[in-house]
């Protein structure tokens, strides 16, 4: 069942945020959505953390004729994995993004102009600090769970190490304690694509620099899929519209990248894309500590990890390193390697596979709090 | 020992070449180099086949103060793996390239202008047909071996299937019977980078469109290295020149891609890059046949294959598929999987590892011809 018609909410905080860079950001607005109802002691609240280009719009529709539901509608709703008859589910758009939270496209109240590149470089830890203001504001003492994939998984890790007493559990999917140089390199060429676009104008564009952003997103799509899923989806099929010997003739996989790349231009801000890419690359669970060990020593809540066999962006070995460290430290940790051909995208697509494990994990956490 | 000072040669053929596309290309010029001396019956000739951005300049220097020797100097020379005291080694620049052979930057004698995009789309098979004209011209009845990595390996495969009676053996490294959609996708975004550069002007540039070509090459470098080699080479080190929170601050791996990308602009023609990328993507050993089996049925010479464990562009499983087919057909085939962290580039770097196996293979072939 669907959560039905939902409403986007906004909150602007009085206090400024001191960022990891030392710079100050404020005032900060966060966009968020709430599905289900908190119980009396607010112990049934789950915070879902979105990935790179996600939003607070997790589930439901804004209007009856809204063509598309939220991005994880399959998972959030009555009788679904995150059962809104039982849990209160919250999702907030991260700072730096372009879906209602403060980001580079926002107007800086101090200047009356868009931030653009005057926006400070932010980290995943900064995003989580901003979320924490929201959780404080909503009067939630302890989240039943924080849960996310990819950049959402990094945020869950930050909750677990930075606010260990504020969460009862964390679920981390398709994430990493620190992206590899290969993952950084792939983001680097995506950035470069945008920098090369003369209409980007160092961030001072009026309209998205479409060719640069589309290409950057096209590169992203390669990393979200896998060799296996590309064989299944496209093989070596050549576009039926093109001749095999046309100079501009395309393979199906090329058309897919181009189609999805240009589609993306209509729905995401280029500077946000760049700031969040940077946050991903800079992410290091050991940030501010001597080592991941020292950082993970702070974890108190049980953590459930999922990795996906064909994910080559944040490959399983990177999750396994984290699981090993937590295990060595004697922390409660659970790990599932899900066989999947979907690549990094699997965390969005394999919900039927991981649902029973997440369900069981959440039930265990709920029970231990009763 | 070095082969010393070498000379680049050129030959222009009277006859035109009928291409796989049905189009006619001619007259064709090939640039080539010869190291060592053919024996009386010309049975000691080895043809080395270069990769995407290679040239005929395999070994030695053009002048005493030439700063760099040929691209595979480590392998070709007296007492080296391809011992020029024993073998006569030839390398020719492929058609479509920009190092002396006919390509898009050549002047079309019929119009008096550069071909640019009027150059026909060519295939690896077309390249090999042009090479065969050279081998005929040099009066070589049967090559002792054809040998190459990556696109060079594809050419070796084409020699083995198209001119089975003209080779006594083939050595195929880091190649594939058909690039995967992932490999195609990575070339697709490289192409797209160039198409996005307004100075490319649909191929009618005066100077290389540098930002587009540099980015395209940067993407290429990601595919030539591996996750493993990037950890070893760069890790997550941040450029010492940049602040971690500078918007344009770079990781070391980014600087490497950028540095190598822009370097490439001075030495390779953009349209050649595009035509050869296309030839790579279109490559299919089964081209013109019902299946790879049917194509490989034509092979007569023993084939030695090398794959490299961390090569994710043309991963070992793709070589293993070829080995399996040849094995099933009862053809003489030998396979070595070389453990290496160098990724696709390993075929250029692991020569000390594979040298003994190649040496033994060549000796076996020489002996059987005596």
């Amino acid at each position: 069942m669907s959560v039905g018609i939902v409403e986007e909410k906004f909150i602007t905080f009085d206090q400024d945020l001191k960022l990891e860079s030392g710079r100050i950001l404020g005032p900060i607005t966060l966009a968020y959505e709430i599905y289900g109802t908190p119980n009396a002691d607010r112990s049934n609240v789950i915070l879902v953390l979105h990935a790179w280009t996600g939003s607070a719009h997790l589930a439901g529709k804004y209007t009856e004729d809204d063509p598309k539901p939220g991005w994880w509608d399959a998972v959030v709703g009555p009788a679904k994995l995150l059962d809104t008859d039982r849990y209160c589910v919250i999702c907030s758009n991260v700072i730096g993004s372009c879906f209602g939270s403060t980001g580079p496209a926002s107007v800086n109240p101090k200047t009356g102009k868009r931030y653009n590149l005057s926006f400070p470089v932010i980290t995943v830890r900064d995003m989580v600090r901003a979320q924490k203001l929201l959780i404080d504001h909503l009067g939630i003492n302890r989240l039943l769970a924080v849960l996310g994939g990819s950049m959402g998984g990094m945020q869950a890790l930050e909750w677990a190490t930075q606010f260990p007493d504020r969460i009862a559990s964390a679920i981390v999917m398709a994430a990493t304690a620190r992206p590899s140089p290969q993952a950084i390199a792939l983001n680097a060429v995506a950035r470069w694509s945008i920098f090369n676009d003369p209409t980007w104008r160092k961030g001072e564009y009026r309209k998205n620099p479409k060719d640069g952003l589309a290409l950057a997103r096209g590169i992203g799509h390669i990393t979200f899929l896998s060799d296996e899923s590309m064989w299944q989806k496209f093989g070596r099929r050549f576009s039926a519209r093109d001749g095999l010997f046309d100079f501009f003739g395309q393979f199906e996989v090329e058309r897919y990248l181009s189609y999805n790349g240009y589609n993306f231009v209509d729905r995401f801000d280029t500077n946000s894309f760049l700031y969040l890419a940077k946050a991903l690359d800079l992410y290091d669970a050991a940030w501010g500590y001597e080592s991941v060990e020292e950082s993970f020593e702070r974890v108190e809540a049980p953590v459930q990890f999922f990795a996906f066999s064909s994910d080559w962006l944040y490959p399983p070995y990177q999750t396994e390193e984290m699981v090993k460290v937590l295990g060595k430290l004697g922390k409660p940790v659970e790990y599932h390697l899900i066989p999947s051909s979907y690549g990094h995208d699997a965390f969005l697509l394999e919900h039927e596979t991981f649902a029973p494990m997440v369900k069981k994990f959440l039930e265990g956490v709920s029970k231990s709090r009763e």
Side-chain angles (χ1 to χ4, degrees), chain A residues 43-93:
Chain A
S43 65
N44 68 333
V45 182
I46 295 175
L47 180 66
V48 175
L49 308 151
H50 71 72
W52 195 352
T53 60
S55 71
H57 189 38
L58 201 52
K61 297 186 169 192
Y62 290 137
T63 57
E64 286 297 346
D65 53 358
D66 200 344
K68 259 180 96 175
W71 60 268
W72 226 11
D73 194 76
V75 160
V76 179
K80 292 183 181 171
L81 171 54
L82 303 184
D83 183 348
T84 48
D85 288 339
R86 181 169 178 183
Y87 303 120
C88 171
V89 178
I90 302 180
C91 186
S92 78
N93 186 220

Side-chain angles (χ1 to χ4, degrees), chain A residues 6 135 246 311 316:
Chain A
V6 298
I135 298 308
D246 292 353
D311 181 354

Side-chain angles (χ1 to χ4, degrees), chain A residues 67-348:
Chain A
K68 259 180 96 175
W71 60 268
W72 226 11
D73 194 76
V75 160
V76 179
K80 292 183 181 171
L81 171 54
L82 303 184
D83 183 348
T84 48
D85 288 339
R86 181 169 178 183
Y87 303 120
C88 171
V89 178
I90 302 180
C91 186
S92 78
N93 186 220
V94 298
I95 55 167
S97 181
C98 54
F99 294 122
S101 294
T102 302
S106 305
V107 171
N108 179 351
K110 284 151 195 159
T111 63
K113 289 184 194 164
R114 281 174 167 234
Y115 283 101
N116 294 340
L117 297 203
S118 75
F119 195 76
V121 167
I122 53 163
T123 65
V124 175
R125 190 165 296 170
D126 294 325
M127 295 171 195
V128 167
R129 285 223 183 94
Q131 280 164 354
K132 162 126 173 335
L133 297 178
L134 174 66
I135 298 308
D136 288 343
H137 165 80
L138 296 173
I140 298 153
N141 184 40
R142 204 152 175 240
L143 292 159
L144 178 66
V146 291
L147 179 165
S150 195
M151 191 179 83
M154 294 172 180
Q155 292 168 67
L157 287 168
E158 289 302 300
W159 271 98
T161 60
Q162 299 308 299
F163 306 108
D165 54 334
R166 299 297 295 275
I167 65 167
S169 69
I171 302 170
V172 176
M173 295 176 176
T176 176
R178 42 180 200 165
S180 69
Q182 188 179 65
I184 293 170
L186 288 154
N187 275 355
V189 292
R191 270 191 277 283
W192 192 351
S193 308
I194 293 167
F195 298 166
N196 272 359
D197 189 324
T199 71
W200 179 61
R201 302 174 60 230
K202 294 216 166 177
E204 298 290 326
Y205 48 86
R206 277 165 188 260
K207 275 173 61 183
N208 257 337
K210 67 178 169 50
D211 294 328
L213 182 59
L215 170 53
R217 180 63 168 180
I219 293 169
H221 274 289
I222 300 177
T223 69
F224 305 152
L225 301 177
S226 72
D227 185 39
E228 228 176 314
S229 65
M230 281 188 167
W231 275 114
Q232 286 164 12
K233 225 172 151 96
F234 314 108
R236 289 176 43 87
R237 279 193 308 283
F238 211 74
S239 166
R241 296 191 201 172
D242 301 331
L244 210 49
F245 292 106
D246 292 353
F247 181 81
F248 290 103
Q250 293 189 312
F251 286 86
E252 281 292 346
V253 66
E254 289 191 79
R255 284 185 34 128
Y256 170 89
L257 297 179
S258 174
Y259 177 85
N260 281 283
Y262 281 101
N263 258 353
F264 183 67
V265 173
D266 300 328
R267 62 184 179 85
F268 208 82
D269 174 63
T270 305
N271 289 339
S272 273
F273 184 87
L274 291 167
Y275 275 93
L276 297 184
K278 189 92 184 171
L280 286 166
D281 292 349
L282 287 177
Y283 184 66
D284 187 341
W287 190 274
Y289 302 95
E290 285 295 314
S291 62
V292 175
E293 285 75 0
E294 192 186 305
S295 159
F296 281 6
E297 187 55 81
R298 296 174 52 88
V299 173
E300 294 174 16
V303 187
Q304 185 184 44
F305 286 92
F306 290 91
F308 301 90
S309 58
S310 60
D311 181 354
W312 65 283
L313 185 62
Y314 301 152
Y317 79 84
Q318 293 177 13
T319 292
E320 285 154 19
E321 282 170 8
M322 295 191 278
V323 171
K324 209 172 151 189
V325 170
L326 284 168
K328 257 194 185 164
L329 294 170
K331 306 287 182 182
V333 58
E334 185 181 317
Y335 170 56
H336 302 281
L337 174 61
I338 307 289
S340 170
S341 67
Y342 286 124
H344 188 63
D345 266 350
F347 80 92
L348 289 168

